[in-house]
């Protein structure tokens, strides 16, 4: 049974008033005032029964989880051990000196009972508060991803049962076939190399189709920085350009290609902030054709580093004519080559959505310029994307001076965001096992980072006003009529 939170903080305990013991400018005081948990009770009510023992109030559980990541406490057991020793923690949680601190298992039970959605709501709520405080501009965003070490050792990686491998291979095959059979009118599929996020094509590529960790099957083997493969997750985030507020978070298994998540992350940012994106800034891993065209269609300026020109094929090398040597005629939809021959469209590649242009059969075989033009035995092929016009516009934007300036800023901004999360809030390593639990960890870390920015901004912009507002909020939350009202007047 879900219990009520005791809204009145204990005033006297061993003649100690915790509210007086916690200094007025203590960060936890500001965070407690800024953390609006009014939605939690309603959001989790369906997961509690009407009878039985009274639970720890959900608001207290959320505050405990916030503490866990705010101070990067190494475990939940450790948190429960130190709560009775810390007056500020007791005050933050609403406990008195004599109160019994719950067992650490309440946190894991609550996560299991509530699922991920409550933490998504908590994150969105804090982002909304940042929007209201004017900390989110919304139209210019940075997107990046970082790998997180899974809580499982390499020793737990075992070959999968041959039948399971067969089933996974079959699913992957079917998905690839499905992509190949896509109707021309459909949106272009992802061309970043990892396949759609969450699909077996992306998640179980190569080694991960045959091996799986027995302790954390959701984590996948990823090689990074020239080191050995490790079990990893990947956290994707959107950071707003104005005050570096994290506005969208997504967690996937480590093998998922970040490029495939760009459009979804933009959508998530727009949903959370209610602001339309005009410019997205990201590194070369996001600069594939699919993303460039996707952004152009959505009228978003993609300031990304461009990947290699994958439409033009892999056979290009020095001494061979580039595509620029071929002139395109939009009226006849043909190319003219340096030997003045015509290349006509032959077929549309169903996955890349590129048309192949070739000369008439045998033309290239007898051409005098062949040695400078192609190394293929059948002749030269030119590839042109179905949305070549949009692609060229997007490339021009990505190559502009503004884009280059934004990319320079991106490097420091995203590094700061991930480094702060890793060094101060434990982003580097998964605390728990399973994709949904990792998603909760990523959401809580982002929430804590945003909360810190929010309270810092409020106190910097007008410290007196901020403290008064926070105290007023705190007063309303805690309903402490015995507190001297003069504080507000001061
Ligand atoms: S090899 Fe073929 S495409 Fe190239 S210049 Fe000669 S005819 Fe034209």
């Amino acid at each position: 049974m879900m219990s009520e939170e005791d809204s009145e903080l204990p005033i006297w305990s061993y003649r100690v008033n915790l509210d007086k013991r916690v200094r007025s400018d203590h960060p936890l005081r500001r965070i407690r005032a800024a953390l609006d948990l009014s939605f939690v009770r309603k959001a989790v009510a369906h997961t509690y029964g009407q009878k039985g023992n009274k639970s720890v109030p959900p608001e207290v559980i959320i505050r405990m989880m916030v503490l866990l990541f705010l101070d990067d406490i190494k475990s939940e057991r450790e948190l429960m051990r130190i709560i009775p020793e810390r007056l500020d923690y007791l005050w933050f949680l609403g406990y008195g000196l004599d109160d019994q601190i719950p067992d650490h298992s309440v946190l894991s039970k609550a996560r299991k009972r509530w699922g991920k959605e409550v933490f998504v709501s908590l994150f969105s709520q804090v982002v909304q508060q940042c929007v209201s405080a004017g900390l989110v501009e919304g139209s210019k965003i940075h997107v990046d991803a970082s790998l997180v070490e899974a809580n499982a050792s390499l020793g737990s990686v075992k070959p999968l049962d041959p039948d399971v491998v067969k089933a996974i291979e079959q699913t992957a095959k079917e998905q690839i076939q499905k992509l190949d059979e896509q109707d021309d009118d459909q949106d272009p599929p992802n061309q970043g190399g990892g396949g759609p996020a969450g699909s077996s094509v992306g998640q179980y590529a190569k080694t991960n189709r045959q091996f799986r960790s027995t302790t954390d099957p959701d984590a996948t083997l990823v090689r990074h920085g020239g080191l050995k493969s490790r079990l990893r997750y990947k956290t994707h985030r959107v950071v707003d350009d104005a005050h570096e507020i994290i506005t969208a978070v997504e967690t996937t298994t480590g093998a998922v290609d970040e490029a495939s998540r760009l459009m979804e992350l933009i959508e998530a940012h727009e949903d959370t902030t209610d602001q339309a994106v005009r410019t997205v800034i990201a590194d070369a891993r996001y600069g594939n054709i699919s993303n460039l065209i996707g952004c152009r269609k959505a009228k978003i300026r993609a300031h990304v580093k461009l990947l290699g020109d994958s439409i033009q094929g892999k056979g290009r090398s020095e001494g061979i004519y580039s595509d620029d040597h071929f002139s395109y005629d939009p009226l006849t939809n043909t190319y003219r080559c340096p030997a003045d021959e015509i290349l006509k469209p032959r077929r549309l590649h169903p996955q890349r959505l590129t048309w192949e242009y070739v000369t008439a059969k045998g033309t290239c075989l007898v051409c005098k310029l062949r040695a400078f033009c192609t190394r293929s035995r059948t002749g030269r092929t030119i590839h042109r994307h179905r949305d070549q016009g949009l692609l060229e516009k997007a490339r021009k934007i990505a190559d502009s001076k503004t884009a280059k300036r934004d990319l320079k800023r991106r490097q420091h901004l995203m590094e700061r965001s991930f480094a702060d999360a890793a060094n101060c809030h434990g982003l580097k390593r998964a605390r728990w096992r399973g994709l949904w639990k990792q998603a909760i960890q990523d959401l809580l870390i982002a929430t804590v980072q945003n909360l810190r920015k929010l309270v810092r901004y409020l106190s910097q912009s007008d410290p007196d006003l901020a403290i008064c507002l926070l105290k007023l909020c705190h007063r309303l939350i805690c309903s402490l009529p015995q507190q001297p009202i003069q504080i507000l007047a001061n």
Side-chain angles (χ1 to χ4, degrees):
M1 189 173 88
M2 182 165 57
S3 71
E4 288 291 328
E5 187 185 22
D6 188 2
S7 60
E8 287 201 10
L9 287 170
I11 304 303
W12 295 105
S13 181
Y14 300 116
R15 296 180 181 275
V16 174
N17 183 345
L18 286 181
D19 193 49
K20 283 185 178 169
R21 288 299 178 104
V22 179
R23 60 187 155 89
S24 61
D25 60 346
H26 194 295
L28 281 183
R29 196 178 271 279
R30 290 173 179 163
I31 286 176
R32 177 161 174 153
L35 194 60
D36 181 3
L37 298 178
S38 53
F39 75 97
V40 175
R41 184 157 288 273
K42 203 175 164 192
V44 301
H46 67 283
T47 65
Y48 290 84
Q50 297 302 316
K51 293 176 185 168
N53 293 333
K54 281 191 172 181
S55 72
V56 178
E59 297 88 344
V60 176
I61 293 177
I62 294 268
R63 284 192 202 111
M64 283 177 174
M65 291 198 198
V66 166
L67 280 181
L68 198 63
F69 289 96
L70 185 70
D71 288 349
D72 193 17
I73 295 163
K74 73 174 181 189
S75 69
E76 287 162 3
R77 280 175 197 270
E78 179 68 8
L79 174 68
M80 297 307 183
R81 255 199 302 267
I82 61 174
I83 285 173
E85 299 166 1
R86 297 270 306 250
L87 296 185
D88 53 348
Y89 280 12
L90 286 170
W91 175 87
F92 182 68
L93 297 169
Y95 284 123
L97 286 176
D98 292 333
D99 286 336
Q100 177 74 33
I101 304 304
D103 186 73
H104 67 89
S105 60
V106 295
L107 299 184
S108 56
K109 283 179 190 160
R111 277 195 301 277
K112 207 169 172 185
R113 190 189 283 249
W114 300 349
K116 189 180 107 175
E117 290 315 309
V118 176
F119 301 93
V120 174
S121 306
L122 177 68
F123 171 75
S124 307
Q125 174 100 17
V126 173
V127 174
Q128 281 297 333
Q129 283 177 266
C130 294
V131 173
S132 308
L135 281 172
V136 177
E137 194 269 327
S139 68
K140 196 177 198 179
I141 58 166
H142 300 255
V143 181
D144 206 352
S146 178
L147 288 166
V148 178
E149 299 279 331
N151 189 1
S153 73
L154 271 182
S156 70
V157 178
K158 305 282 180 223
L160 280 172
D161 186 271
D163 291 341
V164 178
V165 175
K166 220 171 160 184
I168 292 172
E169 295 285 356
Q170 184 58 30
T171 319
K173 221 168 149 186
E174 280 170 14
Q175 290 221 2
I176 289 167
Q177 207 174 347
K178 215 170 150 190
L179 290 171
D180 282 347
E181 286 166 3
Q182 275 191 73
D183 186 56
D184 290 356
D185 293 336
Q186 285 182 301
D187 284 341
N190 296 300
Q191 296 170 28
S199 76
S200 56
V201 184
Q203 286 189 25
Y204 304 124
K206 299 174 190 168
T207 336
N208 290 307
R209 288 185 196 170
Q210 288 163 0
F211 296 92
R212 196 61 44 84
S213 164
T214 48
T215 48
D216 190 352
D218 288 348
T220 44
L221 286 164
V222 183
R223 190 186 285 267
H224 181 63
L227 301 171
K228 263 172 73 177
S229 291
R230 306 278 288 268
L231 286 163
R232 289 175 160 126
Y233 286 103
K234 195 173 274 182
T235 174
H236 310 253
R237 55 171 60 173
V238 174
V239 175
D240 187 72
D241 186 75
H243 292 272
E244 303 182 19
I245 297 293
I246 304 154
T247 52
V249 176
E250 192 186 349
T251 305
T252 61
T253 184
V256 167
D257 174 31
E258 46 265 62
S260 65
R261 309 309 305 144
L262 182 73
M263 300 314 289
E264 283 77 5
L265 283 164
I266 292 174
E267 214 172 290
H269 164 90
E270 292 182 334
D271 285 349
T272 320
T273 62
D274 225 8
Q275 313 268 357
V277 174
R278 291 279 160 261
T279 309
V280 61
I281 305 151
D283 65 18
R285 287 172 296 180
Y286 294 85
N288 63 18
I289 294 161
S290 172
N291 284 339
L292 288 176
I293 290 176
C295 286
R296 220 43 243 133
K297 282 185 176 169
K299 295 191 169 50
I300 295 169
R301 291 175 68 86
H303 290 178
V304 295
K305 273 190 183 161
L306 297 171
L307 278 177
D309 193 353
S310 55
I311 313 175
Q312 294 190 10
K314 292 175 183 171
R316 284 175 60 217
S317 58
E318 255 184 280
I320 297 291
Y321 293 142
S322 71
D323 286 4
D324 297 341
H325 288 78
F326 294 73
S327 55
Y328 179 69
D329 181 358
L331 288 176
T332 56
N333 187 24
T334 56
Y335 277 94
R336 191 173 287 276
C337 75
D340 216 20
E341 296 290 345
I342 298 293
L343 288 87
K344 289 183 179 171
R346 181 173 59 181
R347 73 181 183 105
L348 180 71
H349 191 289
Q351 207 174 336
R352 290 183 176 173
L353 297 178
T354 56
W355 279 98
E356 286 178 3
Y357 288 75
V358 291
T359 54
K361 204 174 177 184
T363 312
C364 293
L365 296 179
V366 295
C367 175
K368 287 177 189 167
L369 300 175
R370 191 177 167 200
F372 306 105
C373 188
T374 181
R375 287 181 183 148
S376 160
R377 273 182 294 171
T378 51
R380 177 72 186 249
T381 307
I382 296 287
H383 298 265
R384 183 181 173 83
H385 198 276
R386 196 182 61 172
D387 295 313
Q388 188 70 19
L390 289 177
L391 187 60
E392 278 164 13
K393 271 185 199 162
R395 282 190 170 140
K396 225 174 180 176
I397 290 169
D399 207 30
S400 66
K401 273 187 184 171
T402 333
K404 283 175 185 158
R405 201 173 52 228
D406 281 344
L407 282 168
K408 265 188 187 169
R409 175 168 157 72
R410 184 211 78 85
Q411 205 180 342
H412 303 294
L413 187 141
M414 288 311 298
E415 263 174 29
R416 238 186 339 258
S417 181
F418 280 123
D420 178 51
N423 299 333
C424 305
H425 305 296
L427 180 91
K428 277 181 195 159
R429 193 173 161 80
R431 278 177 182 268
W432 308 304
R433 289 173 183 148
L435 185 62
W436 68 274
K437 289 186 200 161
Q438 182 55 36
I440 291 176
Q441 172 170 332
D442 292 340
L443 285 162
L444 278 167
I445 290 175
T447 303
V448 161
Q449 285 184 274
N450 285 344
L451 266 174
R452 275 178 45 216
K453 283 210 165 72
L454 179 66
V455 295
R456 197 185 310 145
Y457 176 79
L458 286 174
S459 52
Q460 274 172 3
S461 55
D462 189 345
D464 294 336
L465 178 66
I467 288 170
C468 282
L469 283 173
L470 291 173
K471 279 181 178 172
L472 178 64
C473 291
H474 174 225
R475 192 80 55 79
L476 290 171
I477 292 165
C478 304
S479 308
L480 287 173
Q482 60 274 46
Q483 280 290 302
I485 201 74
Q486 286 89 331
I487 290 175
L488 282 175
N490 292 338

